[in-house]
Amino acid sequence: MRTIADIRALLAQDKATVGTWLQLPDADVAELMARAGYDWVAVDMEHGSFGRTCLPDIFRAIECGGAVPFARLPEASKTAIKAALEAGAQGLIFPMIESREQLDRAIGWSIYPGLDTWAGAKPAEYRGVGYCRANVFGKEFDAYLAVAGDIFLVAQIEHIRAVENLESILSHPRLDAIMVGPYDLSGSMGLTGQFDHPKFREVMQQIAEICERCHARMGLHIVQPDPEALDREITNGARFIAYGIDTVFLWKSAERPRQGGRQ
């Protein structure tokens, strides 16, 4: 089974970590996606159909399939962060991060008191401590406490305001990577889905240059599966990449083939 340590080892060697995206709230689908060879599988709690009660089974299935369970949160809130971590998420993707102050709060809510070992200002608030599925309801509390500070933390850059504040966001010493949300970012520019528009391409280049200057790991989501696009983005420097979505893989493969020139 892959671990957070494996993901960090890839990044330490300047290699890309590639995961995938889950929207269907089904443990069998989660296990299948994890067994497809990805480093991690992110449960999309913002646009997928996941309730809090199904998260433990989904995360268990991802672990069973050999990948690391991540949660793309519905919002970077104290309640959502705690729900995902207590159900067993080992990585968090914070949506709509637009400022360093917002990121400070989200990371503080993700870390138990005493595990904030990075230099600099300490969080104003911390993660609540209690028995939960992640520590086997207290049975393995000490063992979980030993690894709970190693959660993989990703900030999604989804608004032009975030680009304006990107250097400040990247300065947080506990941030592992960023991930561009192309649809929301383009929408914030009045260019929803226009990824080839010169202004959008210019902003993407700006993000890449800032990440390189700050020695930060840039990531993105290749929504439509395309091996050539994956190779191209890795060559261009992307290191935290979500590839495809379970729903997109399904409909692209399930469409009825043409027969006699007719659909």
Side-chain angles (χ1 to χ4, degrees):
M1 175 183 167
R2 294 171 181 81
T3 66
I4 293 293
D6 295 328
I7 294 173
R8 295 194 192 283
L10 286 172
L11 295 174
Q13 299 169 48
D14 196 31
K15 295 180 180 179
T17 178
V18 180
T20 192
W21 217 247
L22 198 68
Q23 287 191 314
L24 300 175
D26 185 276
D28 288 336
V29 173
E31 182 179 351
L32 181 70
M33 295 291 283
R35 289 186 183 276
Y38 296 100
D39 301 324
W40 46 271
V41 177
V43 173
D44 186 354
M45 296 173 63
E46 182 176 9
H47 300 297
S49 302
F50 297 93
R52 184 167 181 171
T53 56
C54 77
L55 289 177
D57 286 339
I58 299 295
F59 292 146
R60 269 191 287 262
I62 293 170
E63 290 178 343
C64 181
V68 180
F70 276 54
R72 193 281 196 96
L73 299 164
E75 58 183 358
S77 68
K78 189 173 185 177
T79 299
I81 289 167
K82 182 165 65 173
L85 291 175
E86 293 198 343
Q90 297 175 31
L92 295 178
I93 301 173
F94 304 122
M96 286 290 181
I97 295 298
E98 298 180 10
S99 70
R100 171 61 190 267
E101 292 74 20
Q102 185 186 11
L103 181 63
D104 286 346
R105 290 193 298 272
I107 290 181
W109 291 329
S110 305
I111 303 295
Y112 282 148
L115 301 185
D116 50 331
T117 56
W118 59 87
K122 298 300 184 181
E125 294 186 68
Y126 292 90
R127 176 182 171 187
V129 183
Y131 287 178
C132 57
R133 183 255 157 178
N135 56 48
V136 197
F137 304 98
K139 185 176 185 296
E140 297 182 6
F141 183 83
D142 291 341
Y144 180 68
L145 191 63
V147 299
D150 202 35
I151 299 157
F152 199 91
L153 301 174
V154 181
Q156 278 200 290
I157 304 303
E158 302 183 272
H159 199 283
I160 194 65
R161 289 192 295 266
V163 181
E164 296 165 358
N165 296 320
L166 187 54
E167 288 198 38
S168 177
I169 290 169
L170 294 176
S171 69
H172 197 298
R174 187 56 184 79
L175 183 67
D176 289 294
I178 66 163
M179 183 179 193
V180 176
Y183 283 96
D184 282 317
L185 177 58
S186 62
S188 75
M189 301 171 62
L191 301 169
T192 304
Q194 298 181 48
F195 304 138
D196 290 327
H197 193 285
K199 289 185 177 180
F200 181 79
R201 293 167 69 93
E202 181 180 327
V203 167
M204 289 297 293
Q205 181 61 32
Q206 181 184 356
I207 293 171
E209 290 173 357
I210 294 172
C211 285
E212 183 176 5
R213 186 165 65 247
C214 296
H215 305 289
R217 291 143 181 164
M218 179 177 172
L220 45 79
H221 191 175
I222 300 173
V223 176
Q224 296 291 334
D226 181 347
E228 292 184 1
L230 178 60
D231 289 341
R232 182 172 62 251
E233 295 297 348
I234 292 175
T235 299
N236 290 340
R239 290 296 178 265
F240 183 83
I241 302 174
Y243 185 76
I245 308 175
D246 57 350
T247 50
V248 175
F249 285 123
L250 178 60
W251 68 252
K252 286 182 77 74
S253 298
E255 284 186 317
R256 178 178 171 177
R258 294 179 179 273
Q259 294 176 297
R262 294 181 300 175
Q263 191 73 7

